[in-house]
Amino acid sequence: MSLLEVTDLAVAYGDMIALEDVSIEVAAGETVTVLGANAAGKTTLLRAISGLVSARRGSIRFDGEPLLAVPSHERVARGLGLVPEGRLVFPFLSVEDNLRLGAFTPKARSRADATLERVYAMFPRLPERRRQMAGSLSGGEQQMLALGRGLMSLPRLLMLDEPSLGLAPILVQEVMQQVAAIRDEGVTVLIVEQNVHQTLKLADRGYVLENGRLTLQGAASELAASDEVRRAYLGL
Amino acid sequence: MQLALQILVNGLLLGGLYALLAVGLTLIFGVLRVVNFAHAEFMMLGMFGVYWVWHLTGLDPYLAVLVVTPLVLLFGIVCDRLIIQRTIGAPEVTVVFATLGLSIFLQNAALTLWTADIRSVTTAYSGMVLTPFGLRVSVPMLISFTVAMLAAAGLWLVLTRTLYGKAIQAVAQNREAAALMGIDVRRIYLWTFSVAVAAAGAMGGLIAPLFTVYPRVGISYIVTVFVIVVLGGLGSVPGAVLAALLIGLIEAAAGFLFGAAWAELSYFLIFLAVLIARPQGFFGRRGAEVFAGR
Ligand SMILES: Nc1ncnc2c1ncn2[C@@H]1O[C@H](COP(=O)(O)OP(=O)(O)OP(=O)(O)O)[C@@H](O)[C@H]1O
Ligand SMILES: [Mg+2]
């Protein structure tokens, strides 16, 4: 049984249909990516899974349980984490407060000290800045904080929405390595990334979304070799 | 010199009382993004509550505050459930009409229940005055001031030192990101609103032994408190306290120098001057941001 099962999902903003008949699955331990051009609906998909936007139709199951009636904050408690597009750190709270808030749910809170140590070890630039306001960090540091904060909730599935967006090439490398490290820790990852080439190397499987519909899916290596993906997303 | 000191003392004492009212209003704005026009009506309920407990049981008014504040908190929970939660996400005018409507409703409910009579709470120590260094300091005023400042400091400590307080700040800074932390945003709204209006109720209880009690008493405070909240920087708790003390001082000074009628006008002039120089208020940068996020 898959950890996450999205079936025939439809989402609309008013009259504008953003997703239609989208079905994806993520098995425990897998790394899965969703590719798509701007405005394809990738963020909408992750937000619907997190409960930040509501679904018109379809179903979302996590660990076999239907999620649509479950409010966002409770989905986090069940082990569903999202590092949102644009990072959304709390700018006027310290780095450490941001991280501790990441472990707000009772289960994560009871293990927050140990998780914090792990996150600091993984992102060595964060402990140096633990008392600094998150809003005064550089873009790359904020992304690391957002990733670390996402890990603090001890997610069973971590969704990442464009973690390298707006970063300098050297930082993109660093972030991608960190995503790989998160995957290697055994966290199941669902990632949306502009950086298609590297993401396909990192992922086991992928889906391609176009104008709110799935057009292609398969093993990451197959996608990387397909004409459609090479033309549209790899610029080859 | 003596006169200046006396004005300073009177002003700070008055300002400290405004502070407790202003802190709640600024929090409700910063966290819920709701302008609570009914805020001073919760103060009025606290005043009447203390008046009735004192009148009917003879309990000391300051002890009555301890009874009345939890009741105002409960009433705040009811108002949040019935009114405020329903306006979240609605257009701003809806929110304005909702809290303005609540204000008018509460005033008229008080008029109907308790008539327009002007009442006052008196105690054995009502007229008691301390005279340190030749200054005159009213004892009940001093007690009320002290309790109000302690309550405001307590709120500040909870907000800045506890995880739950930081969760409140997180909601103010970005409610979606807060939900992604597993924070129940509606619950934060509920507690922020009801604790903030309970603080207004407590402030009302504290001034019941000092000033007269009547159904429309809120009207004479709400404008002052809005001035304070904007001056302090919308959403900023320390800004609100600072601005409250300043407005208290201005009101006392203008009252002494030009007569009571000038008090309000004078702080409006200063309000305008400050806003021209610093449109974001004293704590503008921290203000709207510490607690009001983006
Ligand atoms: N809150 C909203 N209200 C109305 N329309 C929205 C909203 N959010 C997204 N949309 C629209 O839904 C469509 C899908 O947007 P979405 O953000 O999911 O795309 P995306 O694939 O993440 O794009 P990008 O690569 O630019 O991040 C777009 O046409 C967008 O304009
Ligand atoms: Mg997006």
Side-chain angles (χ1 to χ4, degrees):
Chain A
M1 187 188 60
S2 293
L3 182 59
L4 176 74
E5 234 180 305
V6 176
T7 315
D8 298 333
L9 183 71
V11 175
Y13 299 104
D15 291 338
M16 215 276 302
I17 292 163
L19 292 177
E20 183 82 71
D21 283 336
V22 172
S23 300
I24 69 166
E25 279 185 36
V26 182
E30 259 191 322
T31 297
V32 174
T33 182
V34 178
L35 309 178
N38 286 121
K42 307 177 298 292
T43 297
T44 302
L45 175 60
L46 300 191
R47 287 167 60 84
I49 297 170
S50 279
L52 295 178
V53 293
S54 46
R56 281 280 162 97
R57 273 189 309 283
S59 78
I60 302 176
R61 285 175 172 269
F62 186 66
D63 211 12
E65 307 264 337
L67 272 194
L68 285 184
V70 177
S72 284
H73 65 273
E74 213 159 288
R75 298 187 195 193
V76 181
R78 293 188 185 192
L80 197 62
L82 170 64
V83 177
E85 187 175 55
R87 326 189 218 294
L88 311 189
V89 298
F90 303 114
F92 302 97
L93 284 167
S94 72
V95 166
E96 186 147 322
D97 285 345
N98 268 268
L99 290 171
R100 288 202 175 273
L101 283 167
F104 192 78
T105 62
K107 203 169 127 217
R109 202 183 306 178
S110 65
R111 288 155 69 183
D113 289 338
T115 321
L116 188 67
E117 238 169 77
R118 243 181 62 219
V119 166
Y120 277 158
M122 208 169 164
F123 305 97
R125 264 189 274 174
L126 296 181
E128 294 164 18
R129 292 171 167 71
R130 59 170 54 161
R131 295 193 195 292
Q132 199 171 319
M133 292 275 169
S136 67
L137 298 177
S138 72
E141 289 162 352
Q142 287 193 18
Q143 186 58 58
M144 284 166 207
L145 178 58
L147 287 173
R149 192 179 65 173
L151 289 171
M152 289 297 295
S153 69
L154 301 172
R156 296 161 67 201
L157 171 65
L158 186 60
M159 299 186 286
L160 305 173
D161 195 349
E162 312 235 14
S164 79
L165 189 71
L167 300 185
I170 184 162
L171 285 170
V172 172
Q173 292 305 322
E174 206 174 323
V175 165
M176 294 309 284
Q177 279 162 15
Q178 271 146 358
V179 173
I182 291 171
R183 178 202 58 185
D184 293 342
E185 283 212 344
V187 179
T188 309
V189 174
L190 177 59
I191 180 172
V192 167
E193 208 2 274
Q194 298 281 351
N195 217 314
V196 173
H197 186 68
Q198 291 184 51
T199 310
L200 283 174
K201 278 199 217 156
L202 204 90
D204 300 307
R205 290 190 305 111
Y207 295 88
V208 177
L209 203 54
E210 261 176 48
N211 293 321
R213 289 171 177 276
L214 288 180
T215 55
L216 211 59
Q217 64 185 70
S221 53
E222 279 169 38
L223 289 180
S226 82
D227 285 343
E228 190 187 333
V229 171
R230 284 164 64 87
R231 205 171 357 91
Y233 306 109
L234 296 173
L236 298 171
Chain B
M1 187 58 210
Q2 192 72 7
L3 181 63
L5 271 179
Q6 184 69 57
I7 290 172
L8 189 73
V9 168
N10 292 3
L12 289 179
L13 288 176
L14 184 65
L17 294 172
Y18 287 153
L20 189 53
L21 197 57
V23 162
L25 188 62
T26 210
L27 265 178
I28 292 173
F29 179 78
V31 178
L32 285 80
R33 290 308 167 99
V34 165
V35 178
N36 183 22
F37 285 102
H39 205 63
E41 272 60 55
F42 289 93
M43 176 200 82
M44 176 270 289
L45 291 179
M47 289 180 95
F48 267 107
V50 164
Y51 170 81
W52 284 114
V53 170
W54 165 81
H55 184 75
L56 296 175
T57 69
L59 194 68
D60 181 88
Y62 288 105
L63 294 177
V65 173
L66 298 179
V67 179
V68 168
T69 305
L71 294 177
V72 179
L73 183 100
L74 278 180
F75 186 64
I77 291 175
V78 172
C79 290
D80 183 75
R81 282 277 154 89
L82 290 183
I83 300 164
I84 306 297
Q85 295 273 350
R86 287 163 205 263
T87 68
I88 300 291
E92 255 155 51
V93 276
T94 311
V95 185
V96 169
F97 280 127
T99 64
L100 209 52
L102 180 61
S103 161
I104 294 166
F105 171 78
L106 291 176
Q107 282 177 33
N108 287 290
L111 266 173
T112 310
L113 286 172
W114 304 316
T115 73
D117 289 354
I118 290 181
R119 303 161 198 265
S120 45
V121 174
T122 50
T123 60
Y125 48 87
S126 280
M128 214 181 269
V129 171
L130 296 178
T131 53
F133 315 109
L135 296 169
R136 294 178 54 82
V137 181
S138 143
V139 169
M141 190 84 180
L142 189 63
I143 299 173
S144 298
F145 167 84
T146 309
V147 177
M149 289 316 262
L150 286 176
L155 283 177
W156 176 243
L157 284 178
V158 169
L159 276 170
T160 54
R161 297 289 144 85
T162 67
L163 189 67
Y164 201 80
K166 286 167 187 170
I168 294 173
Q169 293 189 56
V171 169
Q173 289 173 28
N174 192 318
R175 53 173 86 158
E176 277 195 351
L180 291 176
M181 303 298 105
I183 295 167
D184 183 347
V185 173
R186 283 181 174 265
R187 203 149 147 190
I188 296 273
Y189 287 163
L190 172 72
W191 284 110
T192 304
F193 183 81
S194 40
V195 168
V197 299
M203 184 274 190
L206 289 170
I207 62 171
L210 305 170
F211 306 119
T212 49
V213 183
Y214 54 99
R216 304 187 70 183
V217 62
I219 294 171
S220 49
Y221 285 84
I222 193 71
V223 178
T224 309
V225 178
F226 270 117
V227 167
I228 289 169
V229 164
V230 174
L231 209 53
L234 283 168
S236 169
V237 169
V241 172
L242 206 71
L245 295 173
L246 182 77
I247 291 295
L249 276 178
I250 294 170
E251 198 174 317
F256 255 109
L257 300 175
F258 314 119
W262 287 87
E264 215 165 290
L265 179 64
S266 62
Y267 65 62
F268 267 113
L269 290 176
I270 293 190
F271 177 61
L272 285 177
V274 171
L275 286 194
I276 288 165
R278 260 187 89 75
Q280 69 277 53
F282 294 144
F283 278 54
R285 273 211 37 178
R286 275 174 68 83
E289 292 153 347
V290 169
F291 287 119
R294 298 182 293 169

